[in-house]
Amino acid sequence: MKKELRRAVIAGNWKMNNTPSQAKALIEEMKPLVKDADCDVVLCVPFIDIPAAVEAAKGSNIKIGAENIHFKASGAYTGEISADMLKEAGVEYVVVGHSERRQYFAETDQTVNLRTLAAVNAGLKAIVCVGETLEQRELGYTETLLKYQTKMALTNVTKEQLKNIIIAYEPVWAIGTGVTATADQADEGNGFCRAAIAEAYGEDVAQTVTVQYGGSMNAKNAEELVAKVNVDGGLIGGASLKAEDFSIIVKAASK
Ligand code: PEP
């Protein structure tokens, strides 16, 4: 395992929280706290917050991401946002296939793949989420499912484009529940995702891909999680809404 080949990424996922003025205030509060980070720092924010977030983050080490992207370039897709729209607004990252989108908005492995391709074809960095439910884990399907979801999401993604892909292993049972995977469970899940990449692209390539853990990561447990060889940072929901907590996670990933 070659952790040193990969840069850790700590990405906040604000979900449906913060108005534009609240976004500005929170980013202003975060900027001095994360300025010395030795990892990439990203905030994925609601579409409506993007202009305020981009403006507030200007000149800092905080990059702005979106929480979703549509796979078509333009057209009759009411309520959707395209890659070009995100690019022009100053977005650099986008979360794709979050379990809440799979659960509440009928995302499938096919649409996750299309959205991933739309992102990387536009030069955006895609944070692609995969993860098993508690039932799937208890049935013993975790490895099979994580490998399947990872490979499906990456269908037709070239080796070159893989440089703009981050995989986020997010066990569904750990998201927003306060139940965190143990560090060993996180390491194992991330390892399954990396193994799927190795099967598709080769071991050398797989060693270069950032694989985050996400699921109730917080200021208290981050250090133990990110210390694991397969855990290259985290995708953070609840704890990314508090400047101090988020900055502690960023510091943990910078060690
Ligand atoms: C997430 O939204 O991706 C997430 C991991 O949420 P939380 O940290 O709140 O579990």
Side-chain angles (χ1 to χ4, degrees):
M1 288 300 153
K2 298 175 184 143
K3 203 170 164 78
E4 68 280 2
L5 292 180
R6 308 180 288 269
R7 185 147 169 93
V9 180
I10 295 295
N13 171 26
W14 282 1
K15 313 195 190 206
M16 196 173 72
N17 292 295
N18 290 324
T19 64
S21 61
Q22 290 167 334
K24 180 179 183 319
L26 183 52
I27 291 170
E28 293 298 349
E29 197 185 342
M30 282 179 176
K31 278 198 292 193
L33 301 178
V34 302
K35 69 177 177 24
D36 298 322
D38 189 13
C39 65
D40 289 343
V41 182
V42 183
L43 291 172
C44 298
V45 306
F47 290 137
I48 194 76
D49 292 349
I50 288 170
V54 168
E55 186 57 34
K58 229 176 232 165
S60 79
N61 58 333
I62 298 176
K63 312 279 186 214
I64 300 303
E67 297 177 13
N68 192 20
I69 181 173
H70 197 260
F71 39 85
K72 294 284 186 179
S74 62
Y77 301 99
T78 303
E80 293 292 331
I81 299 284
S82 73
D84 283 351
M85 294 171 187
L86 294 178
K87 287 274 290 186
E88 196 170 317
V91 161
E92 294 179 56
Y93 289 75
V94 60
V95 177
V96 177
H98 191 280
S99 68
E100 287 152 16
R101 296 225 46 99
R102 294 180 190 252
Q103 194 178 346
Y104 306 131
F105 301 98
E107 289 282 342
T108 65
D109 289 312
Q110 283 76 19
T111 58
V112 169
N113 173 236
L114 293 175
R115 289 177 205 270
T116 302
L117 287 169
V120 293
N121 284 336
L124 292 164
K125 294 189 172 69
I127 301 175
V128 181
C129 303
V130 297
E132 82 289 359
T133 63
L134 189 56
E135 190 185 9
Q136 289 162 337
R137 171 167 281 266
E138 286 172 351
L139 286 168
Y141 294 153
T142 302
E143 178 173 1
T144 308
L145 192 98
L146 291 180
K147 286 187 168 178
Y148 177 80
Q149 287 186 345
T150 302
K151 285 182 189 172
M152 284 293 288
L154 298 179
T155 304
N156 295 325
V157 171
T158 66
K159 214 184 246 192
E160 191 56 30
Q161 288 174 328
L162 203 59
K163 291 178 186 154
N164 280 336
I165 298 273
I166 294 164
I167 300 291
Y169 166 51
E170 297 210 308
V172 178
W173 46 271
I175 298 177
T177 58
V179 180
T180 316
T182 64
D184 285 341
Q185 284 172 326
D187 196 43
E188 179 184 61
N190 282 29
F192 292 148
C193 299
R194 196 178 307 288
I197 300 169
E199 284 166 23
Y201 297 89
E203 185 61 37
D204 286 357
V205 174
Q207 286 300 328
T208 65
V209 177
T210 294
V211 183
Q212 298 173 315
Y213 166 78
S216 299
M217 193 188 276
N218 58 41
K220 290 205 173 85
N221 60 27
E223 189 162 353
E224 191 187 355
L225 287 161
V226 300
K228 287 290 176 182
V229 70
N230 267 311
V231 180
D232 310 314
L235 183 56
I236 324 294
S240 71
L241 299 171
K242 295 183 196 126
E244 171 118 38
D245 287 13
F246 187 67
S247 73
I248 290 171
I249 299 171
V250 166
K251 279 181 194 122
S254 300
K255 285 184 182 160

